[in-house]
């Protein structure tokens, strides 16, 4: 059967047999199948044609690279990249020339292929290290991810770059790569001293910035950092800039390292904030645990707050304890377990689980029509004087300090640190470079 007939069958019930036949034909089928892959109007599902090319393997490598480089749209480039990353080629050296291709998309995707191969790509780590100085930021990031994928065996190679007199522009990125692959523990004494010196310089001139909030944090009205570390069971504090602390908290929370370390802020307007999971190594604490921690902390500091917010949904929560007693606890996802009367910080706001709109507020509105829905929402809210919803940030702004509103107006005392939890003392700092 002709190649054209087989390609036509890729869109019909004979897809599997046609795919098998095209893969068996090999090199002669590459260009016709690649043309279908790059045709966004083709009736053939792009995944089907991409899988044929993956199975053909080495003969499809060079054509896919050139198609990726010349792709007229991002979608075509994405399809070619997906096919390229799964080519059945045993000798990984075949992918190395792609790391030096003029097109950034090809360089980055070639690094991604080696990332997928893990430790098997170690012989090609020097080629990936060379990409750390690539002019394209995405390519540099793909190189770091690939080195992470290979694992700690690349650290000695990166240390050689750090000590080389001829490495030039690679020396700085190599330091970042070491931390990305092995965490701070991967730094030798010389580099660790260098990083600490840089942090001290940055700390001296740093101003607080608004934080992106997703996770939980505590607030206590104290500036005694040693006492705070002891109360939270923390140890091995490392000086950090505020930007570095925020970077660690957000990265750890979304990357699974929140149980190992926490970010302890300077004292902001009289309050020290502790971001992360200092007590519980198994994820976010439940309401009983939160209240228990706040009670204990308030016995020590007079008052203790806990807050929670999510960037992925509408979750928000807060807890206030004073002198060992829970004054207020609220969680939008568990409104039935709230404790205490409304707090003064909630005055003028609507609790977020309460629907302040009448049942007929959106009658006649297509809820899928965002513009129409938004217009009706704001009109009804204005006409009926419906309050804004309370959130952890609005509560904190009145009761302690709102991390999302930090700025030049915020009074700062002391310095930030990253400190290890019990889990962190056992497993160390999470891997990954942080903003300084």
């Amino acid at each position: 059967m002709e190649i054209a007939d087989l390609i036509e069958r890729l869109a019909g019930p004979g897809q599997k047999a046609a795919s098998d036949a095209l893969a068996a034909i090999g090199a002669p089928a590459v260009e016709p199948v690649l043309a279908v892959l790059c045709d966004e109007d083709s009736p053939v599902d792009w995944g089907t044609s991409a899988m044929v090319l993956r199975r053909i393997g080495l003969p499809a490598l060079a054509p896919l690279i050139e198609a990726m480089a010349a792709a007229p749209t991002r979608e075509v480039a994405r399809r070619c990249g997906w096919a390229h990353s799964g080519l059945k080629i045993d000798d990984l050296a075949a992918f190395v020339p792609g790391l030096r291709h003029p097109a950034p998309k090809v360089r980055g995707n070639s690094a991604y292929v080696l990332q997928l191969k893990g430790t098997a790509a170690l012989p090609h780590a020097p080629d990936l290290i060379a990409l750390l100085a690539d002019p394209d930021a995405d390519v540099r990031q793909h190189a770091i991810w690939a080195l992470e994928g290979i694992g700690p065996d690349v650290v000695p190679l990166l240390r050689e770059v750090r000590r080389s007199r001829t490495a030039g522009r690679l020396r700085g990125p190599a330091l970042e790569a070491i931390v990305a692959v092995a965490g701070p523990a991967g730094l030798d004494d010389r580099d660790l001293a260098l990083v600490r010196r840089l942090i001290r310089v940055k700390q001296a001139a740093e101003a607080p910035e608004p934080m992106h909030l997703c996770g939980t944090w505590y607030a206590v009205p104290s500036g005694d950092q040693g006492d705070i570390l002891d109360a939270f069971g923390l140890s091995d504090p490392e000086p950090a800039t505020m930007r570095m602390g925020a970077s660690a908290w957000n990265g750890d929370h979304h990357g699974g390292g929140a149980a190992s370390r926490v970010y302890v802020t300077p004292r902001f307007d009289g309050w020290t904030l502790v971001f992360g999971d200092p007590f519980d190594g198994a994820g976010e604490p439940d309401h009983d645990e939160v209240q228990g921690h706040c009670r204990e902390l308030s016995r020590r500091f007079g008052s203790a707050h806990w807050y929670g917010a999510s960037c992925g949904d509408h979750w928000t929560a807060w807890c206030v304890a004073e002198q060992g007693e829970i004054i207020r606890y609220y969680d939008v996802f568990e409104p039935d377990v709230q404790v205490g009367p409304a707090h003064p910080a909630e005055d003028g706001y609507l609790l977020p689980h309460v629907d302040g709109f009448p049942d007929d507020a959106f009658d006649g509105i297509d809820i899928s029509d965002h513009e129409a829905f938004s217009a009706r929402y704001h009109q009804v809210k204005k006409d009926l004087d419906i309050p804004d919803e309370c959130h952890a940030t609005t509560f904190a702004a009145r009761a302690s300090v709102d991390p999302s509103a930090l700025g030049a107006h915020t009074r700062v005392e002391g310095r930030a640190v990253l400190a290890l939890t019990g889990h962190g003392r056992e497993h160390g700092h999470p891997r990954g470079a942080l903003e300084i």
Side-chain angles (χ1 to χ4, degrees):
M1 187 176 292
E2 296 291 332
I3 291 176
D5 294 330
L6 291 171
I7 287 177
E8 188 174 338
R9 292 193 176 195
L10 290 178
Q15 169 199 319
K16 185 180 185 307
S19 294
D20 291 344
L22 288 165
I25 290 172
V30 170
E31 291 296 346
V33 175
L34 180 57
V36 173
L37 176 68
C38 296
D39 181 1
E40 295 186 55
D41 295 322
S42 171
V44 178
D45 181 86
W46 74 266
T48 301
S49 51
M51 282 302 301
V52 172
L53 294 170
R54 281 183 163 195
R55 292 171 64 187
I56 291 174
L58 186 60
L61 176 59
L64 271 171
I65 284 177
E66 294 314 310
M68 197 187 330
T73 67
R74 293 181 65 181
E75 172 60 18
V76 172
R78 184 187 69 82
R79 293 179 181 187
C80 293
W82 190 85
H84 172 256
S85 66
L87 288 171
K88 292 187 179 300
I89 299 174
D90 293 331
D91 184 3
L92 298 185
F95 293 100
V96 172
L99 298 174
R100 297 185 286 273
H101 193 278
K105 172 65 178 175
V106 174
R107 298 198 299 276
N109 215 75
S110 299
Y112 175 61
V113 173
L114 297 179
Q115 175 188 340
L116 296 176
K117 304 304 180 181
T119 56
L122 181 61
H124 311 294
D127 299 286
L128 290 166
I129 291 172
L131 286 186
L132 294 176
D134 193 276
D136 187 274
D138 286 340
V139 175
R140 295 195 298 272
Q141 183 60 70
H142 275 293
I144 288 178
W145 286 335
L147 293 169
E148 288 184 72
I150 295 172
D153 286 343
V154 302
V155 171
L157 300 176
L158 290 164
R159 285 178 175 166
E160 287 180 16
V161 173
R162 288 289 300 156
R163 300 295 159 251
S164 171
R165 294 178 179 270
T166 60
R169 292 182 302 147
L170 280 176
R171 296 182 71 248
L175 180 64
E176 178 182 350
I178 290 172
V179 180
V181 171
L187 298 174
D188 61 21
D189 291 343
R190 184 174 171 182
D191 278 340
L192 186 58
L194 175 68
V195 171
R196 285 172 171 165
R197 186 163 61 248
L198 175 62
I199 289 170
R200 287 196 300 270
V201 170
K202 294 280 189 178
Q203 280 182 325
E206 188 181 30
E209 300 174 330
M211 288 180 61
H212 169 76
L213 299 178
C214 189
T216 60
W217 68 97
Y218 290 85
V220 292
S222 171
D224 187 335
Q225 194 171 84
D227 196 25
I228 291 170
L229 294 174
D230 181 66
F232 283 89
L234 304 172
S235 67
D236 305 280
E238 279 289 339
T241 62
M242 290 176 273
R243 180 173 294 183
M244 184 177 169
S247 174
W249 178 58
N250 275 296
D252 294 349
H253 177 72
H254 292 99
S260 293
R261 66 183 172 194
V262 299
Y263 164 38
V264 181
T265 71
R267 194 176 191 181
F268 293 141
D269 291 336
W271 293 81
T272 296
L273 311 183
V274 178
F275 289 89
D277 186 14
F279 299 112
D280 312 279
E284 304 291 2
D286 63 27
H287 58 267
D288 288 329
E289 292 170 329
V290 166
Q291 292 175 35
H293 296 320
C294 286
R295 284 191 188 94
E296 289 303 313
L297 291 168
S298 71
R299 291 189 179 102
R300 188 161 184 165
F301 299 107
S303 179
H305 298 190
W306 171 88
Y307 300 99
S310 172
C311 63
D313 55 31
H314 298 293
W315 179 68
T316 189
W318 51 88
C319 182
V320 175
E322 295 179 3
Q323 305 298 334
E325 298 294 329
I326 300 299
I327 304 302
R328 182 65 167 139
Y329 176 85
Y330 175 82
D331 185 322
V332 65
F333 288 171
E334 296 183 297
D336 293 338
V337 298
Q338 59 182 290
V339 175
H343 192 276
E346 299 166 12
D347 287 352
Y349 288 107
L350 196 67
L351 289 177
H353 76 281
V354 177
D355 185 1
F357 287 77
D359 293 339
D360 62 352
F362 302 100
D363 285 356
I365 296 294
D366 180 359
I367 60 173
S368 64
D369 185 339
H370 175 74
E371 186 176 340
F373 180 85
S374 179
R376 176 66 64 84
Y377 173 89
H378 289 291
Q379 186 61 52
V380 173
K381 189 173 183 293
K382 179 181 178 182
D383 291 346
L384 300 182
D385 197 24
I386 298 173
D388 291 335
E389 291 183 353
C390 195
H391 187 271
T393 53
T394 54
F395 189 102
R398 291 178 171 181
S400 56
V401 61
D402 173 12
S404 70
L406 299 174
H409 61 278
T410 307
R411 187 175 75 256
V412 180
E413 302 169 78
R415 294 285 187 260
V417 296
L418 288 172
L420 295 179
T421 65
H423 185 270
R425 286 188 286 277
E426 182 177 352
H427 299 281
H429 283 270
R431 297 183 307 167
L434 303 173
E435 296 180 57
I436 296 179

